[in-house]
Amino acid sequence: MSDKIRSLKLSHVVLPLETPVSDAKVLTGRQKPLTETVLLFVEITTEDGFEGMGFSYSKRAGGPAQFTHLREVAEVAIGQDPSDIDRIYQSLMWAGASVGRSGVATQAVAALDVALWDLKARRAGLPLAKLIGAYRDSCQVYNTSGGFLQASVEEIKEKATASLEMGIGGIKIKVGQPDWREDLRRVEALREHLGGGPFMVDANQQWDRARARRMCRELEQHDLVWIEEPLDAWDAVGHADLSHVFDTPIATGEMLTSVPEHMALIDAGYRGIVQPDAPRIGGITPFLRFATLAAHAGLALAPHYAMEIHLHLAAAYPTEPWVEHFEWLNPLFDERVDIHDGRMWVPERAGLGFTLSDQMRALTKETVTIG
């Protein structure tokens, strides 16, 4: 039997960080320190009383734009069958066609798309990973939040130790500073501290092609799981070239905001690790579309941020992925992910497995109900 979407509640939420953080984009003068995450939440209610929750996010800019765009186009979803997720997705894209099919437009729609998938899995009484079709019940997990550049080496060591003690398997730190020698000193210190454990670095797009080659060559000796975003995110050819030259895998993709942007990597012959972000690429629907193409190309997967969503999507990927641990969004949910033995475990609860907290409501700056 079919159901219909009765109403949508959109919420604009501003979540401050306890401590502002800086990556290479800050130290090279391109951006200001990150002080907050801005989120767009969607809560769906159907005529038959089923509910679903989804979210997207932005950093530094774009949050109000996401909220405004979805408020403009969301009405086309009212009255549609929530099971017809791709059909609804296309109707939302057409409703906002004049602003394109990437960037803010798709990131706004992503929150509603995630909520539709959450609703579908809740109605089925299944975790989202099981609804999609899981290959595993847990995924390898690594921490990023403790490795930003404003922290001293000693602080990063302490945070890395704390992460490992709580059951996280790998540690990633930021590189890409104006003084590349300082990058190498920090990497060497952390590698010594971690011993032979899984270790990643992230340059946040701060090297040109020549510097990237030199740095990748220097970093080869440290047995890294990957070197992330050594080049501009849209330099598909440059990333593909690096992925052919070095033994250490190259990782990229978190900044890309559509399936075609990700496909440019595959078309360029990229052999590294892809890092799609469901809220940025436009939701779970386009994420799964690209994941199928990435798996066909034999690429490894390590989704960016939003572990509450990506744990399920990673569990449904054919080859063993990594999930990124950020505790930043914890205040917004009543539940916590289960982490032990170097892995993050898929919740047994239906849907995404998370409910919105009282603190999320307190941090909400604006809401609108449609329908």
Side-chain angles (χ1 to χ4, degrees):
M1 295 177 63
S2 64
D3 193 2
K4 293 182 179 180
I5 296 174
R6 185 178 69 197
S7 66
L8 301 168
K9 182 178 180 181
L10 316 185
S11 298
H12 173 59
V13 176
V14 179
L15 174 64
L17 299 184
E18 289 186 7
T19 303
V21 298
S22 298
D23 58 23
K25 297 187 294 292
V26 176
L27 271 67
T28 54
R30 293 181 173 180
Q31 291 185 336
K32 295 179 180 179
L34 182 64
T35 60
E36 62 188 23
T37 300
V38 180
L39 300 103
L40 168 60
F41 280 91
V42 174
E43 297 167 81
I44 300 176
T45 303
T46 75
E47 295 286 356
D48 289 345
F50 293 102
E51 297 179 342
M53 177 277 295
F55 66 92
S56 58
Y57 72 94
S58 63
K59 297 176 180 178
R60 296 185 176 90
Q66 289 183 19
F67 180 80
T68 299
H69 181 75
L70 188 58
R71 182 173 57 188
E72 281 192 287
V73 302
E75 187 176 2
V76 303
I78 301 298
Q80 295 204 55
D81 187 332
S83 294
D84 299 333
I85 297 177
D86 195 57
R87 176 177 164 181
I88 295 171
Y89 190 89
Q90 294 304 324
S91 70
L92 291 164
M93 288 292 98
W94 279 110
S98 65
V99 291
R101 297 183 178 182
S102 64
V104 167
T106 47
Q107 291 167 10
V109 171
L112 177 49
D113 183 78
V114 172
L116 287 167
W117 281 98
D118 179 58
L119 185 153
K120 194 169 190 175
R122 287 193 195 191
R123 187 174 57 192
L126 294 171
L128 177 60
K130 294 291 186 182
L131 180 76
I132 297 169
Y135 282 89
R136 58 194 65 82
D137 295 324
S138 65
C139 298
Q140 300 173 104
V141 58
Y142 70 97
N143 175 265
T144 295
S145 58
F148 280 83
L149 290 175
Q150 86 287 340
S152 68
V153 170
E154 290 307 312
E155 288 175 315
I156 294 175
K157 286 181 180 179
E158 291 176 6
K159 292 175 181 177
T161 298
S163 292
L164 296 174
E165 288 177 349
M166 69 175 286
I168 291 172
I171 300 295
K172 187 174 81 177
I173 68 168
K174 302 292 186 173
V175 293
Q177 300 181 82
D179 183 357
W180 58 271
R181 297 173 186 83
E182 181 60 23
D183 280 335
L184 294 179
R185 283 192 286 270
R186 289 165 73 94
V187 170
E188 289 168 3
L190 264 294
R191 171 44 83 199
E192 181 179 358
H193 180 71
L194 296 172
F199 183 29
M200 305 84 160
V201 301
D202 182 358
N204 287 111
Q205 311 178 67
Q206 294 310 293
W207 297 326
D208 60 23
R209 290 184 177 182
R211 174 55 60 195
R213 280 178 171 263
R214 293 187 182 103
M215 291 302 292
C216 287
R217 191 173 298 114
E218 292 283 350
L219 292 167
E220 287 267 66
Q221 64 182 301
H222 296 296
D223 189 27
L224 300 173
V225 179
W226 68 67
I227 300 168
E228 185 170 335
E229 280 194 329
L231 300 169
D232 183 276
W234 285 267
D235 186 358
V237 172
H239 280 104
D241 288 346
L242 292 175
S243 74
H244 285 252
V245 171
F246 295 100
D247 293 333
T248 303
I250 305 299
T252 193
E254 69 178 64
M255 298 300 298
L256 305 181
T257 62
S258 69
V259 174
E261 289 177 5
H262 282 273
M263 280 304 298
L265 288 166
I266 295 177
D267 292 342
Y270 181 66
R271 295 179 182 174
I273 298 167
V274 287
Q275 298 180 298
D277 181 318
R280 282 183 176 167
I281 200 175
I284 291 172
T285 298
F287 184 104
L288 293 176
R289 190 171 296 136
F290 173 66
T292 298
L293 299 169
H296 178 71
L299 301 178
L301 179 78
H304 169 256
Y305 201 60
M307 62 188 182
E308 295 82 3
I309 299 170
H310 290 134
L311 172 57
H312 293 274
L313 305 185
Y317 196 69
T319 57
E320 179 73 35
W322 284 89
V323 173
E324 186 171 28
H325 175 265
F326 266 95
E327 72 283 358
W328 291 354
L329 303 186
N330 282 353
L332 305 176
F333 305 106
D334 288 328
E335 298 82 7
R336 297 289 178 266
V337 292
D338 180 18
I339 298 173
H340 58 88
D341 299 326
R343 304 183 70 82
M344 185 181 293
W345 297 78
V346 175
E348 295 183 358
R349 303 177 294 273
L352 292 175
F354 296 93
T355 52
L356 299 177
S357 67
D358 291 340
Q359 190 167 354
M360 174 269 175
R361 304 295 180 190
L363 293 168
T364 298
K365 303 302 180 183
E366 185 177 2
T367 64
V368 63
T369 299
I370 299 169

